[in-house]
């Protein structure tokens, strides 16, 4: 299978991309990720900053106009959504196959 | 109060700054040395990140993100690399990194900075070498570094006076070029050390 070498996404990356389906700035991303993961993924500032930089480099997210100069707002791009879909499909397959094999 | 110290290991630097804070010395500025202000002794949590920024607005965004999540930026500037943060309230186990890979990442950036410095100086060194501006032959024949006419024919106090007077100039003429290989060596060593700390963090 010819798969993107960026896959699988890390848990952190996956949640950040999900959090950015709606535009958000850095601190809001932290809060959203914690909420989406039911408290299991808590991002620290230094880690999040590096992750945002990396996602921008891959062009999976982009900066959008923000009212506040000190807080930049980001949103997921089409390429970012495509990655989320690919990784979700990968996980769906894993889930299905796990259930089938463990039910025997 | 000013103190001069050099760290490559951020863990040790953080610990030292926390000890200083416990003794009532609050870090206010880091340039060549550390500048402290007398303050109430406190059990501070200090963490260091390593990042430089091309644009002021990126630096501002970075500081704001840390401040929003409870970390006060206490020292460091746009291009300084080391950025110092102090925890405002909260849990003493808090960190500015939440995974090992990003925690180690700052050592990668330090290592790259030292490697880039070494690479910057290498062409300068090679150019000076190949144009003959640097002359290592003085190592074998130090007499040629003395330019005083008839120096070697003098004797007694007359000789020593002239000889000792010129010695600092001679040493400067003869060995100043050593600055380049020495600094390149130091930079490469620091790059290597930081890289080792990166490996150690990754394996932790």
């Amino acid at each position: 299978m010819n798969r993107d070498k960026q896959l699988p996404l890390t848990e952190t990356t996956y949640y950040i991309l999900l959090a950015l389906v709606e535009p958000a700035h850095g601190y809001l991303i932290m809060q959203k990720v914690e909420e989406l993961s039911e408290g299991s993924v808590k991002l620290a500032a230094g880690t999040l900053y590096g992750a945002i930089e990396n996602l921008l480099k891959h062009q999976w997210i982009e900066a959008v106009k923000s009212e506040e100069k000190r807080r930049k707002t980001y949103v997921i791009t089409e390429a970012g959504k495509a990655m989320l879909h690919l990784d979700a499909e990968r996980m769906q397959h894993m889930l299905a196959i796990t259930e089938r094999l463990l039910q025997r | 109060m000013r103190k001069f110290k050099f760290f490559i290991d951020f863990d040790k630097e953080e610990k030292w700054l926390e000890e200083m804070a416990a003794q009532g010395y609050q870090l206010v500025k880091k340039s060549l040395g550390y500048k402290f202000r007398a303050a109430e002794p406190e059990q501070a949590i200090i963490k260091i990140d390593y990042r430089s920024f091309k644009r002021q607005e990126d630096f501002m965004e970075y500081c704001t993100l840390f401040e929003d999540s409870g970390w006060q930026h206490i020292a460091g500037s746009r291009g300084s690399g080391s950025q110092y943060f102090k925890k405002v309230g909260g849990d003493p186990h808090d960190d500015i990194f939440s995974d090992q890979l990003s925690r180690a990442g700052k050592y990668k950036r330090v290592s790259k900075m030292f490697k880039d410095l070494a690479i910057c100086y290498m062409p300068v060194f090679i150019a000076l070498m190949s144009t003959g501006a640097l002359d290592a032959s003085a190592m074998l024949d130090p007499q040629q570094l003395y330019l005083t006419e008839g120096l070697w024919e003098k004797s007694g106090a007359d000789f020593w006076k002239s000889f000792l007077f010129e010695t600092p100039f001679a040493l400067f003429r003869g060995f100043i070029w050593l600055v380049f290989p020495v600094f390149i060596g130091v930079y490469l060593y620091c790059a290597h050390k930081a890289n080792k700390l990166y490996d150690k963090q990754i394996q932790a």
Side-chain angles (χ1 to χ4, degrees):
Chain A
M1 197 164 99
N2 194 5
R3 214 169 67 171
D4 196 306
K5 58 175 185 283
Q6 305 296 336
L7 286 177
L9 301 175
T10 64
E11 197 179 15
T12 309
T13 306
Y14 195 94
Y15 276 120
I16 296 173
L17 285 174
L18 265 188
L20 287 177
V21 167
E22 280 170 30
H25 61 70
Y27 186 56
L28 198 55
I29 298 175
M30 277 187 200
Q31 292 172 317
K32 275 192 171 180
V33 166
E34 190 171 344
E35 190 188 304
L36 290 171
S37 68
E38 297 179 324
S40 68
V41 180
K42 287 192 179 121
L43 287 174
T47 301
L48 176 62
Y49 191 86
I52 289 176
E53 203 176 42
N54 196 39
L55 290 171
L56 284 170
K57 206 174 73 195
H58 281 111
Q59 298 182 334
W60 294 348
I61 64 171
E62 63 191 1
V64 289
K65 275 240 178 301
S66 136
E67 304 102 66
E68 277 180 287
K69 220 179 154 215
R70 294 174 63 92
R71 292 183 185 84
K72 275 191 214 163
T73 305
Y74 301 98
V75 74
I76 194 167
T77 60
E78 287 308 314
K81 282 183 193 161
M83 287 311 286
L84 269 183
H85 279 300
L86 278 175
D87 207 32
E89 268 167 38
R90 181 190 66 84
M91 288 191 287
Q92 245 148 25
H93 170 75
M94 282 168 68
L95 270 180
I97 202 96
T98 307
E99 266 171 43
R100 206 171 76 208
L101 287 172
L102 287 182
Q103 262 166 18
R104 275 192 214 165
Chain B
M1 184 184 67
R2 271 180 197 282
K3 279 211 173 217
F4 291 93
K5 241 169 143 54
F6 180 72
F7 291 95
I8 291 189
D9 189 332
F10 289 114
D11 290 351
K12 286 185 185 155
E13 188 176 1
E14 287 166 357
K15 225 186 192 153
W16 179 67
L17 289 170
E18 286 171 1
E19 278 164 19
M20 292 301 285
Q23 289 166 32
Y25 295 105
Q26 196 175 44
L27 178 68
V28 285
K29 204 180 165 190
K30 165 78 198 293
S31 47
L32 266 178
Y34 299 82
K35 198 171 153 196
F36 295 96
R37 176 172 62 201
E40 279 292 301
E42 58 170 350
Q43 292 307 117
I45 303 165
I46 293 171
K47 297 284 175 195
I48 307 166
D49 190 12
Y50 190 90
R51 272 184 194 283
S52 293
F53 302 85
K54 285 201 190 83
R55 293 180 306 178
Q56 185 63 23
E57 56 180 280
D58 292 341
F59 179 53
M60 253 168 50
E61 185 206 9
Y62 171 81
C63 292
T64 306
L65 176 61
F66 277 75
E67 265 156 38
D68 282 346
S69 49
W71 293 94
Q72 184 196 352
H73 185 260
I74 52 174
S77 60
R78 187 175 66 84
S80 68
S82 291
Q83 307 293 344
Y84 299 80
F85 295 95
K86 189 173 92 176
K87 182 74 200 171
V88 184
D91 182 337
H93 299 291
D94 273 349
D95 197 348
I96 55 171
F97 298 104
S98 45
D99 62 48
Q100 208 51 37
L101 194 65
S102 61
R103 191 171 290 123
K106 62 181 169 180
Y107 289 105
K108 248 290 94 107
R109 294 192 289 275
V110 171
S111 179
K112 187 178 177 300
M113 187 276 293
F114 278 117
K115 210 171 69 197
D116 289 349
L117 266 178
I119 291 171
C120 261
Y121 276 101
M122 254 182 253
V124 179
F125 179 51
I126 292 167
L128 288 173
M129 239 357 201
S130 60
T131 53
L134 306 179
D135 190 2
S137 67
M139 293 276 205
L140 304 169
D141 181 19
Q143 277 195 9
Q144 67 176 21
L145 294 175
Y146 290 83
L147 306 178
T148 306
E149 228 162 295
L151 175 70
W152 308 105
E153 280 73 51
K154 290 180 181 176
S155 62
D158 196 20
F159 167 75
W160 286 109
K161 199 180 142 209
S162 308
F163 175 76
L164 291 176
F165 176 77
E166 201 181 355
T167 295
F169 295 100
L171 288 177
F172 184 79
R173 265 198 295 278
F175 301 104
I176 186 68
W177 62 274
L178 275 175
V179 165
F180 290 100
V182 165
F183 271 82
I184 289 171
V186 168
Y187 293 150
L188 286 177
Y189 172 77
C190 291
H192 170 73
K193 196 91 191 280
N195 209 37
K196 272 186 96 166
L197 286 163
Y198 172 78
D199 289 340
K200 200 177 110 191
Q201 290 264 329
I202 285 287
Q203 280 151 20

